[in-house]
């Protein structure tokens, strides 16, 4: 049982290796990746149950004790994120069995997907900052290739922007990690918890600067307000399955890192957290405003991802309020919203994929009449769209309620107003998709001649039932959460309480406790006196 | 020496960011290379620069001698260099394909996915 946190990383990597060994056989690659995805989900469920029952699960790789070796840690927050990755991994894998063409498979679609999943799980489970950087790079490289896999002009252009901005973020992260190591001599996050207290007592400005650098690096990955422009430029170009897994997991890794770093490593960086809270409010509104102006199914969804990240990060930003009740509510809301958005956004992207399969386009002005032609698809979209907008009974209602409740208790009225306005606009842009794609009549071929894209309307394809099964499963899951939210809400409360007691995390990882010397020292000695050997 | 390396890191970052903001994808790659070197150098000097004995444990001892050099930044920077090379070579291939697809290396002409 103690090796449980290793499995979600190991299983997808082994499955990816199996896929690479059977490079020529499309069938065997499909079988191997499905088995890998099932194994990942199974290990994620086992991990969640263990982490919830027996508190924090840790593994010291190679039995090197904590601050020196590589530590894998699964607390409740990590465990539910890994479960999200496992669920999405399996459903997207099943969806791609149909969507990924033979050419995509021959170009390595499945191994890349599995390596992406392994990287995401590694980032969720790692216990030290440098390994977090390494896992970030693993999942970034996999996502770069997935994005540029199909060689159209749009894909390549989207990939260039995505690659350039994400690499700048990685470099910032790496530099900040280097400076952090310079002042603390450790990169284990549990050890940093104590070590940075010492530095902070002597040089609070340095710690704030580091916290701000990490916030910028992770904010870029999470697509926070001024740093989100790579996302709408790239997220709508790949096939729907890739969009779904990106929307479910990639921004979430940035948010996860923000939560982890600001609860464990920089618990006292209040000024930075205030900035994060304000940026979260701006992110909510600017993301949804971007969505309102769009006329393409997947672009609207991509812009919405930004807006929703704002809601999640608002929960994290509430850590700035010194009231522990507000902090617990905020973090719990962030956890609920992460799960909600991690299931609903991929569902919407997969619906877009089905529409694309049927009609050959996702440009809203060329679509129409889908409600009459495929009522079940319209029903799936409607359930998902209402959940995204936060109408009961759906997971979105509870997630938004949790965020709004935390904001009310914190009395952050401006952020609350931004959240409500963004909610209304979300509903509006979802109604736009509904009206354009599903409700209005199918446009005549000669009327859409002047529009960009294919001039003639292609003939609709029938959607195979098995193709739609993963989407139905996702929507059922989302609706089930909406009708029966108590397990998730209770779990989120427990996860938030655990995040707010870092001492338990430090104890579970097993680093020796530090005696915190709070007498102010000469500032210069902290920065320059880095040549002391490690005891 | 510490000050000199600190300034070098700053210069690498400045030049890298400047090049990345030029309207040319090839300069973006050069900028990325400089940026990644700057970050690697920052990690490398983070342990401080000292003339200290190698961190080797003599036979029978349990710990390296007092004042041994800190080996961790070197291990970290080795990993970071490998990752940096991989990322830069991927970006070079991507940019080659992008300039081929758009027939220009000007990022301002790659607007079909912008909004």
């Amino acid at each position: 049982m103690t090796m449980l946190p290793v499995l979600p990383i190991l299983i997808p990597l082994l499955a990816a290796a199996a896929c690479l060994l059977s490079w020529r056989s499309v069938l065997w690659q499909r079988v191997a990746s499905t088995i890998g995805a099932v194994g990942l989900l199974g290990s994620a469920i086992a991990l969640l149950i263990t982490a919830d029952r027996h508190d924090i699960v840790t593994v010291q790789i190679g039995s090197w004790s904590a601050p020196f070796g590589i530590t894998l840690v699964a607390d409740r927050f990590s465990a539910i994120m890994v479960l999200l990755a496992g669920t999405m991994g399996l459903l997207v894998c099943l969806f791609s069995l149909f969507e990924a063409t033979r050419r995509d498979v021959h170009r390595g679609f499945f191994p890349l997907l599995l390596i992406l999943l392994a990287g995401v799980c590694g980032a969720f489970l790692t216990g030290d900052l440098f390994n977090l950087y390494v896992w970030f790079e693993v999942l970034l490289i996999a996502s770069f290739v997935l994005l540029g896999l199909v060689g159209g002009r749009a894909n390549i252009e989207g990939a260039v922007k995505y690659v350039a901005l994400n690499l700048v973020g990685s470099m910032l992260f790496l530099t900040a990690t280097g400076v952090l190591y310079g002042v603390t001599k450790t990169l284990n996050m549990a050890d940093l918890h104590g070590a940075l207290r010492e530095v902070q007592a002597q040089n609070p400005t340095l710690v704030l600067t580091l916290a701000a650098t990490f916030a910028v690096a992770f904010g870029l990955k999470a697509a926070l307000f001024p740093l989100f422009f790579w996302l709408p430029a790239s997220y709508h170009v790949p096939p729907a399955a890739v969009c779904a897994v990106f929307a479910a997991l990639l921004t979430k890794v940035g948010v996860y890192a923000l939560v982890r770093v600001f609860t464990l490593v920089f618990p006292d960086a209040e000024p930075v957290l205030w900035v994060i809270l304000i940026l979260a409010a701006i992110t909510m509104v600017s993301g949804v405003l971007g969505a309102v102006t769009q006329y393409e199914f997947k672009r609207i969804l991509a812009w919405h991802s930004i807006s929703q990240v704002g809601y999640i990060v608002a929960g994290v930003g509430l850590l700035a309020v010194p009231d522990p009740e507000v902090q617990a509510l905020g973090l719990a809301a962030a956890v609920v919203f992460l799960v909600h958005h991690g299931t609903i956004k991929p569902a919407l992207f997969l619906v877009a994929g089905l529409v694309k399969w049927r009609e050959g386009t996702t440009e809203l002005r060329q679509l129409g009449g889908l409600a009459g032609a495929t009522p079940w698809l319209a029903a799936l979209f409607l359930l998902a769209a209402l959940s995204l907008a936060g109408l009961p009974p759906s997971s979105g209602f509870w997630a938004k309620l949790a965020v709004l409740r935390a904001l009310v208790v914190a009395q952050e009225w401006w952020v609350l107003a931004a959240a409500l306005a963004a909610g209304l606009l979300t509903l509006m842009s979802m109604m736009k998709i509904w009206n354009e794609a599903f409700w209005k009549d199918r446009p005549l071929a000669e009327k859409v001649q002047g529009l960009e894209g294919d001039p003639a309307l292609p003939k609709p394809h029938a959607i195979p039932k098995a193709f739609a099964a993963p989407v139905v499963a996702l929507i059922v899951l989302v609706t089930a959460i909406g009708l029966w939210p108590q397990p998730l809400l209770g779990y989120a409360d427990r996860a938030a309480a655990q995040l707010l007691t870092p001492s338990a995390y430090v104890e579970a990882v097993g680093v020796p406790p530090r005696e915190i010397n709070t007498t102010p020292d000469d500032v210069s000695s902290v920065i320059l006196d880095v040549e002391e050997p490690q005891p | 020496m510490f000050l000199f390396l600190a300034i070098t890191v700053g210069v690498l970052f400045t030049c890298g960011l400047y090049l990345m903001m030029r309207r040319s994808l090839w300069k973006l790659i050069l900028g990325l290379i400089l940026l990644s070197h700057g970050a690697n150098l920052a990690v490398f000097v983070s342990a401080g620069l000292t003339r200290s004995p190698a961190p080797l444990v003599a036979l029978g001892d349990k710990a390296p001698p007092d004042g041994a050099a800190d080996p961790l930044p070197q291990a970290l920077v080795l990993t970071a260099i490998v990752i940096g090379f991989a990322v830069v070579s991927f970006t070079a291939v991507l940019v080659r394909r992008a300039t081929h697809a758009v027939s220009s290396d000007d990022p301002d002409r790659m607007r079909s996915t912008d909004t």
Side-chain angles (χ1 to χ4, degrees):
Chain A
M1 271 332 227
T2 48
M3 290 310 276
L4 214 48
V6 185
L7 293 181
I9 305 170
L10 206 56
I11 292 173
L13 281 182
L14 286 177
C19 284
L20 289 175
L21 287 175
S22 53
W23 185 256
R24 282 160 195 279
S25 159
V26 174
L27 174 73
W28 179 238
Q29 281 203 44
R30 286 179 171 160
V31 172
S33 51
T34 311
I35 293 173
V38 171
L40 171 60
L41 181 58
S43 62
I45 292 172
L47 186 66
L48 183 88
I49 292 169
T50 319
D52 198 24
R53 266 197 208 142
H54 308 284
D55 241 28
I56 300 169
V57 192
T58 54
V59 179
Q60 316 287 353
I61 304 289
S63 302
W64 283 80
S65 61
F68 306 110
I70 291 171
T71 315
L72 294 182
V73 191
D75 63 353
R76 293 197 179 103
F77 183 45
S78 303
I80 195 148
M81 297 309 288
V82 171
L83 180 65
L84 183 67
T87 317
M88 286 311 125
L90 179 60
L91 290 172
V92 166
C93 186
L94 292 178
F95 190 84
S96 322
L97 293 181
F98 294 91
E99 200 195 40
T101 57
R102 290 186 77 83
R103 203 180 65 150
D104 293 346
V105 176
H106 279 304
R107 287 185 173 185
F109 176 84
F110 283 113
L112 286 166
L113 182 66
L114 289 162
I115 290 170
L116 178 70
L117 289 173
V120 168
C121 291
F124 288 152
L125 289 171
T126 182
D128 75 279
L129 275 176
F130 191 77
N131 277 296
L132 187 62
Y133 165 74
V134 174
W135 288 119
F136 263 37
E137 294 298 313
V138 169
L139 69 91
L140 275 182
I141 283 280
S143 67
F144 292 164
V145 187
L146 276 177
L147 193 60
L149 196 66
V150 188
R153 176 174 165 164
N155 279 56
I156 299 285
E157 284 187 17
V160 168
K161 293 159 197 167
Y162 177 77
V163 168
L165 283 167
N166 272 290
L167 288 183
V168 174
S170 293
M171 290 305 150
L172 263 181
F173 182 15
L174 181 61
T175 317
T177 311
V179 177
L180 197 60
Y181 183 77
V183 288
T184 60
K185 292 288 173 187
T186 181
L187 285 174
N188 187 298
M189 287 196 268
D191 203 17
L192 279 171
H193 178 67
L196 265 183
R197 287 285 182 79
E198 281 172 29
V199 180
Q200 185 156 35
Q202 292 158 345
N203 191 352
T205 326
L206 180 62
V207 175
L208 270 189
T209 314
L210 279 171
T213 318
F214 277 111
V216 172
F218 296 144
L220 211 156
K221 311 268 179 203
L224 214 55
F225 163 60
L227 309 163
F228 64 60
F229 288 97
W230 55 273
L231 195 151
S234 58
Y235 262 32
H236 58 92
V237 285
V242 178
C243 286
V245 77
F246 279 17
L249 299 174
L250 290 193
T251 49
K252 305 293 173 299
V253 179
V255 178
Y256 169 85
L258 270 182
V259 174
R260 183 60 78 207
V261 163
F262 279 97
T263 52
L264 191 60
V265 182
F266 304 105
D268 306 319
E270 269 153 41
V272 181
L273 285 164
W274 280 116
V275 175
I276 290 179
L277 184 62
I278 295 164
L279 289 183
I282 306 175
T283 311
M284 287 177 208
V285 178
S286 54
V288 83
L289 283 179
V292 167
T293 60
Q294 293 300 317
Y295 255 94
E296 210 266 341
F297 204 141
K298 285 202 272 185
R299 284 192 188 200
I300 296 181
L301 297 180
W303 276 100
H304 267 302
S305 289
I306 298 169
S307 166
Q308 311 275 315
V309 162
Y311 281 95
I312 306 172
V313 175
V316 185
L318 283 180
L319 285 172
V321 180
D323 181 1
E325 193 201 344
V326 172
Q327 295 185 345
L329 281 175
L331 278 181
V335 173
V336 177
F337 214 106
L338 273 169
V339 174
H340 151 67
H341 185 244
T343 45
I344 198 68
K345 192 41 73 73
L348 280 165
F349 268 118
L350 294 184
V351 168
L354 291 179
V355 170
K356 168 103 179 170
W357 173 277
R358 196 186 137 81
E359 301 286 331
T361 177
T362 46
E363 179 65 40
L364 287 181
R365 278 168 286 202
Q366 297 179 24
L367 291 171
L370 280 174
T374 50
W376 59 271
L377 188 60
L380 286 183
F381 173 79
L382 198 62
L383 279 170
L386 291 181
S387 179
L388 190 76
L391 264 64
S394 62
S395 64
F397 173 67
W398 301 104
K400 265 194 187 155
L401 191 68
V403 172
L404 295 180
R405 181 167 158 232
L407 288 171
V408 169
V409 176
Q411 303 192 324
E412 292 300 329
W413 306 118
W414 286 108
V415 186
L416 186 75
L420 289 173
L424 265 181
L425 289 169
T426 308
L427 188 61
M428 195 182 121
S429 56
M430 282 296 126
M431 273 167 63
K432 180 161 87 182
I433 300 184
W434 171 256
N435 282 340
E436 292 285 331
F438 292 93
W439 205 243
K440 78 167 190 231
D441 289 335
R442 194 180 156 80
L444 298 168
E446 52 269 26
K447 277 210 175 155
V448 289
Q449 283 282 348
L451 293 175
E452 54 188 286
D454 271 355
L457 282 181
K459 250 192 187 160
H461 285 273
I463 302 169
K465 280 203 181 65
F467 194 19
V471 192
V472 176
L474 253 184
I475 305 278
V476 167
L477 181 68
V478 169
T479 318
I481 294 175
L483 294 175
W484 193 37
Q486 202 46 51
L488 177 63
L489 296 179
Y491 186 90
D493 283 341
R494 291 198 296 280
Q498 199 176 45
L499 282 171
L500 286 173
T501 44
S503 52
Y505 187 98
V506 175
E507 202 178 304
V509 173
V511 291
R514 288 169 182 256
E515 284 178 21
I516 296 171
N517 172 23
T518 45
T519 46
D521 215 30
D522 186 14
V523 168
S524 60
S525 72
V526 180
I527 305 174
L528 298 177
D529 188 15
V530 286
E531 282 139 40
E532 254 181 337
Q534 196 165 350
Chain B
M1 193 62 185
F2 201 73
L3 189 68
F4 170 72
L5 283 174
I7 292 170
T8 312
V9 170
V11 169
L12 281 171
F13 262 85
T14 318
C15 297
L17 287 174
Y18 175 74
L19 280 173
M20 288 189 94
M21 285 187 273
R22 301 306 305 271
R23 276 178 58 180
S24 159
L25 287 181
W26 294 109
K27 286 179 185 156
L28 185 139
I29 293 182
L30 287 178
L32 196 65
I33 293 173
L34 292 186
L35 212 58
S36 101
H37 282 7
N40 289 344
L41 198 57
V43 174
F44 184 66
V45 297
S46 65
L49 297 163
T50 44
R51 288 179 186 276
S52 33
L56 297 173
V57 185
L59 201 64
D61 278 1
K62 293 246 158 140
D66 280 349
D70 186 353
L72 195 62
Q74 292 165 40
L76 298 184
V77 84
L78 207 58
T79 318
I81 287 172
V82 173
I83 293 175
F85 269 136
V87 163
V88 165
S89 38
F90 174 79
T91 318
V93 175
L94 181 73
V95 164
R96 205 195 97 81
R97 278 191 63 188
T99 48
H100 190 73
V102 186
S103 339
S104 156
D105 75 335
D106 182 354
D108 271 12
R109 295 189 53 189
M110 302 195 171
R111 293 187 160 246
S112 65
T113 67
D114 276 356
T115 44

